[in-house]
Amino acid sequence: MRVRTPDEIRRDRRRRSHSCWGHLIVAPLWAQHGANLGTLLRTCDAVGACMAVPPHDWVSDALRRGNTVPGRSCVHRTGNPARWIENERLKGSRIIGVELIEGATRLADLPAACGRTVVVLGHERHGIASDVLDLLDEAVEIPMVGRGASLNVAVAGSLVLYRLAGLL
Ligand SMILES: C[S@@+](CC[C@H](N)C(=O)[O-])C[C@H]1O[C@@H](n2cnc3c(N)ncnc32)[C@H](O)[C@@H]1O
């Protein structure tokens, strides 16, 4: 067996031009750790998603530092989380929350996204704020068997993005 070279890997990828019209947008609206934003940005590149982040200076710095892929990434700026999500709904986005909550869809049962979809991720300690939970169309839960209460937010977001992108 032989590991493929980076050039071979890129050549074999499916071709797609970037457009936000029916796109996946991951929204870590309360992110606290820059490293998680960098990890999510890399996943966005891999699956062809955009990212929506709060307009804080430290967030822009963290994305600049954490961006390990060549070229420009598609990053949207949000404001008040609930207002931004209401606005996305008006644009026709489906709002999916990634959270361990009652009635959530298990990751394996989540179909690939068709149409513009916003994937909301919670705060590293406090999860998704309650006013935003009320605005979700659907919640997705990643089943766990370990002793930890939850996954790292960038890992959880990446798994859901892969699923919604139809790549997993
Ligand atoms: C570290 S968790 C925070 C959990 C928080 N302590 C709580 O109890 O709500 C950070 C975020 O990662 C996501 N997350 C982590 N593990 C998850 C899982 N197993 N299923 C779905 N989302 C998960 C959620 O978006 C969550 O808000």
Side-chain angles (χ1 to χ4, degrees):
M1 282 192 212
R2 182 182 69 84
V3 176
R4 290 188 297 156
T5 66
D7 277 350
E8 288 171 334
I9 291 169
R10 288 199 189 93
R11 204 175 46 232
D12 293 346
R13 283 194 186 142
R14 68 184 184 196
R15 297 271 173 263
R16 67 198 303 282
S17 58
H18 177 92
S19 85
C20 286
W21 69 267
H23 217 274
L24 267 181
I25 303 171
V26 68
L29 299 179
W30 302 272
Q32 201 184 19
H33 300 301
N36 288 331
L37 296 177
T39 301
L40 283 166
L41 201 58
R42 194 161 178 163
T43 302
C44 284
D45 172 72
V47 305
C50 307
M51 197 164 174
V53 289
H56 307 315
D57 287 346
W58 77 264
V59 168
S60 303
D61 288 345
L63 288 176
R64 249 193 311 278
R65 274 198 309 274
N67 192 359
T68 52
V69 290
R72 283 192 58 200
S73 306
C74 174
V75 179
H76 302 240
R77 304 288 161 180
T78 64
N80 172 281
R83 224 174 298 136
W84 181 77
I85 287 173
E86 296 272 25
N87 214 27
E88 277 299 320
R89 292 180 74 106
L90 291 177
K91 290 184 198 167
S93 295
R94 180 165 178 73
I95 314 294
I96 297 187
V98 180
E99 197 55 274
L100 290 144
I101 49 181
E102 262 177 29
T105 304
R106 288 165 66 95
L107 182 65
D109 297 328
L110 185 69
C114 50
R116 189 176 167 102
T117 304
V118 171
V119 181
V120 180
L121 302 177
H123 182 277
E124 280 91 339
R125 287 184 59 196
H126 310 301
I128 296 179
S130 52
D131 59 335
V132 168
L133 284 179
D134 293 338
L135 301 174
L136 302 178
D137 292 307
E138 183 174 6
V140 186
E141 169 179 344
I142 303 153
M144 299 171 55
V145 294
R147 281 173 292 143
S150 60
L151 293 164
N152 165 275
V153 66
V155 171
S158 296
L159 288 168
V160 173
L161 281 175
Y162 257 92
R163 187 87 195 159
L164 288 170
L167 292 171
L168 201 66

